[in-house]
Amino acid sequence: AALRARRREPAVDGQRRMIVRPLLILGAGTFAVELLEAAELSGRAVAGFVVSAPEYRTATQLEGLPVFVADDLPLGTSGVECVAGIVSTRRRVFVEAMEARGFTFAVVRHPSAVVSPRAVAAPGVFIGAGVIVSASTRLGPHVILNRGSDRKSTRLNSSHT
């Protein structure tokens, strides 16, 4: 029961009817909760939160979902996708450690974001509420476009916030 992912609507990928894997959100702070909300509003199931070390786990649950420690994670790499809900200097190290363990990363887009179909977002990108992304924009891995950002024909490399 603790591993049951919470979702608001069935998540499917376009017309292919492909089941989308639940998300694990890296981090357990206020930004992670903001990312949770965007994921839920866009129909993504969320399996829980993951912190990099026991000292960062301040509770066993957050917003009704489990908070795991990375070394004790009971989920395998094939059943979930990750996204980084961390805005500290330790973000890159944790993302790279999870990638080294074989975890893949998803793009999370808030439903109020306006994204050109000609824009490209690499794995791990978060596009927040009210963001506008224009044509020819290239977002590298793990870029965060937070509330209200406006990107016009821009290239952002990995881990920009």
Side-chain angles (χ1 to χ4, degrees):
L3 298 181
R4 187 176 337 138
R6 183 170 76 184
R7 89 171 76 190
R8 296 194 179 197
E9 303 172 12
V12 294
D13 182 12
Q15 298 300 320
R16 293 177 283 161
R17 307 280 310 161
M18 181 177 86
I19 301 298
V20 179
R21 295 180 289 166
L23 288 174
L24 276 177
I25 298 173
L26 306 187
T30 55
F31 185 67
V33 173
E34 187 170 330
L35 208 149
L36 165 68
E37 185 172 282
E40 288 179 332
L41 288 172
S42 63
R44 289 298 302 259
V46 178
F49 300 91
V50 183
V51 295
S52 58
E55 60 267 24
Y56 299 121
R57 183 174 154 177
T58 59
T60 59
Q61 288 205 337
L62 179 63
E63 297 294 323
L65 293 169
V67 178
F68 304 106
V69 175
D71 288 341
D72 302 325
L73 194 59
L75 304 170
T77 59
S78 63
V80 294
E81 291 181 291
C82 297
V83 66
I86 305 165
V87 288
S88 79
T89 56
R90 295 180 296 273
R91 179 173 181 261
R92 180 179 292 230
V93 172
F94 190 18
V95 165
E96 289 173 352
M98 293 299 282
E99 287 176 327
R101 292 175 64 178
F103 285 92
T104 59
F105 283 75
V107 173
V108 174
R109 173 181 158 186
H110 192 281
S112 71
V114 178
V115 179
S116 167
R118 291 176 176 80
V120 176
V125 167
F126 171 62
I127 303 171
V131 170
I132 299 170
V133 180
S134 66
S136 303
T137 300
R138 302 289 180 257
L139 303 172
H142 312 292
V143 166
I144 295 172
L145 296 180
N146 212 349
R147 296 179 292 274
S149 297
D150 186 354
R151 295 291 146 208
K152 299 177 185 106
S153 301
T154 304
R155 179 180 300 270
L156 293 177
N157 296 323
S158 69
S159 298
H160 276 83
T161 57

